[in-house]
Amino acid sequence: MLDEIWDSKMLTNNGPMHQKLEAEMEAYLQAPTAMLFNNGTIALLTALKMLDLEPGSEVITTPLTFAATAHAIVWNGLKPVFADVSPDTLTLDPASVAHAITSKTSAIIGVHVYGTICDVEGLQRVADEHGLPIIYDAAHAFGATLGGIPVAKFGRASVFSFHATKLFNTFEGGLIATPDAEDRERIYFLRNFGILNEEEVVEVGINGKVNELQAAIGLLNLPLVENERIQRRRLREIYCEALGDLPGVRLPVVQDNVENSEQYFPVVINPQRFGRTRDDVYNALKERQIFSRKYFHPICTDFEPYRHMSIISHRNRPFAEEVKSQVLCLPFHSGVDDTDLADISAVFHAK
């Protein structure tokens, strides 16, 4: 592929590799609009910009997410409002979103976490009741479906990350998918400085383009995705069998009619029932050179820019505040071998 890039004499600016990968993404995600970006954060910034929201208005999202979700709201001149998560899925809770809506609310950002899909029907009902658009941060949900429908078809837009840590990656990269083919032109201008031609700029745009090397990596990686997912499904079964009988260790939720992306394998450790904390397990694994992730911890409202903000919940205490110190993502990829699995099991079963 490098030879093809050198022969084309195009390293960026919508080159042949870019065009081919974008077409393959449109087919894979079954989305009328699927447009590549240089990273997921720029894609999320652009998706919000596409909505033309009132400056200073409020966008409701979850605190249990990567900081970029909240940052994209602020960089658009908007105010993030954090609503609680559902205890079963750890995704944005529709009832808490309803509590968080004010006259200043302009949009909702749901986040599909760990491969678990948001309650898209519940969130859509709340959004429709108040006339609000929904964007989904789908960084963890590449390839996921609900009732056979790809996640890219839900909401006003879905934003994917193709960072190197993701199931499908272009080293760095991202994508906006929407169910409306008419979005393509607007997103194109927003992604490319608003340039119409050599002499005209018609939109205040940003540089969100993917270069040809990134696109080539994506074209090489896409055929490998399904085999990796198969291996991760098998790993999921092994983890569930090894850890399923442990009191105080909650396995990932199994959602009806959902094909999981197989991005992460999170467990929730209740220290009172399990007898050890999440951090105890994390450190014991680390001593064996096994690196799990306290993901997400800290949550957004623990970070300096958002520390003054509360989490709005229909419960007496936000569940996000409780679960943030209990979630642990175990190693979840085809490189996990039998020795790793034995060590992980030993740590969890240690007295």
Side-chain angles (χ1 to χ4, degrees), residues 10-309:
M10 288 192 69
L11 299 182
T12 187
N13 284 358
N14 204 34
M17 296 292 175
H18 177 131
Q19 293 181 45
K20 184 177 180 181
L21 180 60
E22 203 160 75
E24 293 198 13
M25 287 291 99
E26 187 176 304
Y28 186 88
L29 297 169
Q30 299 177 44
T33 293
M35 302 190 68
L36 293 168
F37 279 77
N38 48 8
N39 62 64
T41 303
I42 296 297
L44 188 55
L45 282 168
T46 303
L48 277 168
K49 188 69 174 177
M50 179 180 68
L51 298 182
D52 292 320
L53 302 175
E54 183 71 23
S57 62
E58 298 172 349
V59 178
I60 299 171
T61 193
T62 169
L64 193 70
T65 183
F66 188 56
T69 309
H71 291 347
I73 296 170
V74 176
W75 272 63
N76 270 279
L78 306 165
K79 178 183 176 182
V81 172
F82 298 102
D84 202 9
V85 299
S86 298
D88 53 349
T89 64
L90 305 184
T91 61
L92 189 62
D93 174 32
S96 295
V97 170
H99 275 257
I101 291 174
T102 72
S103 61
K104 297 180 180 180
T105 305
S106 60
I108 300 167
I109 297 181
V111 182
H112 306 304
V113 290
Y114 313 120
T116 301
I117 305 305
C118 287
D119 179 358
V120 293
E121 292 181 358
L123 288 173
Q124 194 64 56
R125 281 194 298 270
V126 174
D128 289 345
E129 183 179 347
H130 297 274
L132 301 172
I134 300 178
I135 289 176
Y136 285 105
D137 182 332
H140 294 182
F142 184 79
T145 63
L146 172 60
I149 301 172
V151 292
K153 291 191 172 182
F154 295 105
R156 182 65 184 82
S158 294
V159 177
F160 296 85
S161 169
F162 299 152
H163 184 265
T165 58
K166 300 301 188 288
L167 170 74
F168 169 75
N169 74 80
T170 56
F171 290 178
E172 282 277 8
L175 180 140
I176 297 176
T178 85
D180 190 345
E182 293 183 0
D183 291 328
R184 191 170 190 84
E185 181 178 72
R186 179 80 195 286
I187 295 172
Y188 176 84
F189 288 133
L190 289 171
R191 182 182 66 185
N192 189 36
F193 304 105
I195 295 173
L196 177 62
N197 54 46
E198 290 184 22
E199 297 183 353
E200 294 181 89
V201 173
V202 297
E203 173 76 82
V204 178
I206 198 169
N207 183 8
K209 300 187 302 297
V210 168
N211 63 56
E212 289 293 89
L213 291 175
Q214 286 177 288
I217 293 298
L219 290 168
L220 291 171
N221 278 339
L222 188 58
L224 307 178
V225 167
E226 288 311 308
N227 184 60
E228 177 66 21
R229 290 178 77 192
I230 289 170
Q231 294 188 64
R232 293 188 188 193
R233 288 189 194 107
R234 176 56 184 152
L235 181 55
R236 179 180 293 273
E237 292 174 0
I238 294 171
Y239 276 145
C240 288
E241 184 176 346
L243 308 178
D245 62 345
L246 291 173
V249 177
R250 196 182 88 191
L251 301 177
V253 65
V254 177
Q255 294 180 287
D256 292 337
N257 299 317
V258 168
E259 182 178 355
N260 195 290
S261 67
E262 307 299 348
Q263 177 63 50
Y264 293 109
F265 188 91
V267 294
V268 178
I269 299 171
N270 183 314
Q272 287 73 37
R273 295 190 61 215
F274 185 58
R276 285 174 286 157
T277 67
R278 183 271 312 276
D279 288 357
D280 291 335
V281 175
Y282 170 85
N283 290 325
L285 289 171
K286 195 172 181 179
E287 287 175 2
R288 294 176 180 245
Q289 296 298 297
I290 294 174
F291 300 97
S292 54
R293 296 190 68 183
K294 296 184 279 188
Y295 199 42
F296 296 96
H297 182 271
I299 58 176
C300 287
T301 47
D302 293 322
F303 297 138
E304 183 60 35
Y306 312 112
R307 193 168 290 162
H308 63 289
M309 297 182 178

